[in-house]
Amino acid sequence: RRRPLSFPRRVGSCMPTDRQWQLLLLLAFAVAAGGTLLPMLRSGVRAFVGSSRTLMSAAAREPTGVSVCYITVPNAEEADKLAGKLVESKLAACVNVIPGIQSVYTWQGKVEKDNELLLMVKTRSALTDKLAAFVKLHHPYDVPEVICADITAGLPEYLSWVKESTVDP
């Protein structure tokens, strides 16, 4: 019998809580659907933050200068190595390592299926090109997945922390 995945909680770390994981998965589904799930995402954000207006608004806003980038890696060793390098170089404020994803894709004319991990990287929007070049240089894949999206809402203190924790472009 398989045990459900559990994620460690560390005080002061950037590990998401269970409710944050739910929101992250909802966001990932919305991104994967090309934005067609945006109304569902908005209602999910409203449910997540409740009635508090100080956390974030569900309404679309202008970009905040912060982006989230998604990068797939083949194993935990590569995930730890790349995540550490991104944070040490200050190209990322925080990297969440999300285990247990399966990717199905076409490569060199064949349909492939691989178990991978997903890195969810928080950075300044102005650093996404540098981050992509850095990943390409340090990633084991010939063509690594690096996709980024602007963050349009979030806890203002967190967004400021991301900017303070990354290199000034």
Side-chain angles (χ1 to χ4, degrees):
R1 186 174 151 181
R2 293 182 65 186
R3 291 178 36 194
L5 290 175
S6 63
F7 300 99
R9 287 192 173 77
R10 295 176 290 183
V11 175
S13 77
C14 59
M15 288 297 295
T17 65
D18 291 338
R19 291 194 70 192
Q20 288 170 327
W21 278 114
Q22 292 169 354
L23 182 61
L24 294 173
L25 290 174
L26 185 61
L27 175 62
F29 289 130
V31 169
T36 58
L37 297 177
L38 192 55
M40 185 175 90
L41 176 62
R42 286 185 177 146
S43 64
V45 169
R46 273 192 221 104
F48 178 73
V49 299
S51 62
S52 173
R53 299 273 183 221
T54 59
L55 278 177
M56 63 179 71
S57 168
R61 295 186 186 174
E62 292 298 313
T64 59
V66 174
S67 290
V68 61
C69 297
Y70 299 98
I71 303 164
T72 53
V73 292
N75 56 52
E77 181 182 330
E78 291 293 336
D80 290 343
K81 196 172 7 174
L82 187 56
K85 286 179 180 179
L86 287 168
V87 173
E88 286 171 13
S89 67
K90 295 197 173 282
L91 288 173
C94 177
V95 179
N96 299 114
V97 179
I98 305 170
I101 67 165
Q102 187 176 70
S103 297
V104 180
Y105 57 96
T106 302
W107 182 249
Q108 298 178 340
K110 285 178 33 183
V111 175
E112 303 282 345
K113 185 189 296 187
D114 287 313
N115 292 321
E116 296 181 300
L117 293 90
L118 180 66
L119 303 182
M120 188 173 73
V121 181
K122 277 72 71 183
T123 188
R124 291 178 189 233
S125 299
L127 293 175
T128 56
D129 288 340
K130 287 181 182 177
L131 184 140
F134 184 92
V135 169
K136 189 170 183 179
L137 186 65
H138 294 92
H139 200 286
Y141 293 165
D142 294 333
V143 182
E145 174 185 355
V146 181
I147 55 174
C148 301
D150 289 330
I151 302 298
T152 58
L155 184 67
E157 296 87 350
Y158 182 80
L159 299 174
S160 292
W161 173 80
V162 169
K163 292 175 186 174
E164 292 165 7
S165 300
T166 51
V167 66
D168 195 3

